């Protein structure tokens, strides 16, 4: 039917009108159509990947911000002694007596005195 329809158009109209009605079936035209379709697909896919990369970057920035806030809050709790409160309550013998901070400071001062070089007096 397509061939009959094309013959009727050929008989009554100029060639330029036929070119608009009958699709171009030359191999080069088909290749160009496939290439255009492939090009559009590739461009669309690249745009999708860039959008995905942007979303990942935003998520990474948000995570980094949360980590920085977490670090600050952990340091604040550590300085207030909140992180070791349970351990200190469970192990009072390890933080008192000979293990206390005062005892440790006394031992450090004693060792510094031992390691301090003695001054030599010049005979003169």
């Amino acid at each position: 039917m397509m061939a009959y329809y094309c013959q009727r158009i050929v008989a009554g109209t100029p060639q330029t009108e036929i070119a608009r009605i009958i699709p171009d079936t030359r191999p080069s035209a088909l290749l160009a159509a496939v290439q255009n379709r492939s090009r559009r697909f590739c461009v669309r896919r690249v745009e999708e990947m860039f959008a995905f990369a942007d979303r990942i970057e935003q998520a990474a920035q948000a995570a980094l911000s949360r980590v920085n806030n977490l670090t600050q809050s952990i340091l604040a709790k550590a300085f207030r002694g909140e992180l070791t409160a349970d351990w200190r309550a469970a192990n009072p013998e390890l933080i008192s007596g000979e293990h206390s901070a005062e005892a440790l400071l006394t031992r450090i001062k004693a060792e510094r005195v031992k390691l301090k070089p003695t001054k030599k007096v010049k005979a003169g």
Side-chain angles (χ1 to χ4, degrees):
M1 181 159 170
M2 182 73 169
Y4 177 73
Y5 179 70
C6 293
Q7 287 175 356
R8 284 186 48 201
I9 294 175
V10 171
T13 59
Q15 183 69 29
T16 55
E17 289 183 26
I18 294 173
R20 278 187 281 148
I21 295 170
I22 301 173
D24 195 356
T25 57
R26 291 175 296 159
S28 62
L30 291 174
L31 181 62
V34 169
Q35 287 175 342
N36 284 339
R37 198 172 332 143
S38 295
R39 192 175 302 125
R40 284 192 306 267
F41 174 77
C42 289
V43 168
R44 185 177 68 242
R45 190 72 177 133
V46 166
E47 288 173 349
E48 289 172 358
M49 290 293 122
F50 275 124
F52 181 65
D54 289 340
R55 288 193 305 271
I56 289 174
E57 184 178 9
Q58 290 171 353
Q61 289 296 330
L64 182 61
S65 175
R66 287 192 306 269
V67 165
N68 288 337
N69 290 339
L70 181 64
T71 301
Q72 292 300 319
S73 66
I74 288 172
L75 284 173
K77 284 186 174 205
F79 279 107
R80 289 191 303 261
E82 294 175 16
L83 296 179
T84 59
D86 294 338
W87 181 86
R88 284 184 281 126
N91 301 295
E93 70 281 354
L94 294 177
I95 57 172
S96 62
E98 68 181 59
H99 300 291
S100 69
E102 292 85 17
L104 178 62
L105 186 59
T106 305
R107 284 195 308 264
I108 290 172
K109 286 180 181 178
E111 286 187 32
R112 281 188 181 170
V113 169
K114 286 182 197 175
L115 295 176
K116 193 179 261 186
T118 57
K119 294 182 181 180
K120 295 184 180 179
V121 179
K122 291 184 180 180

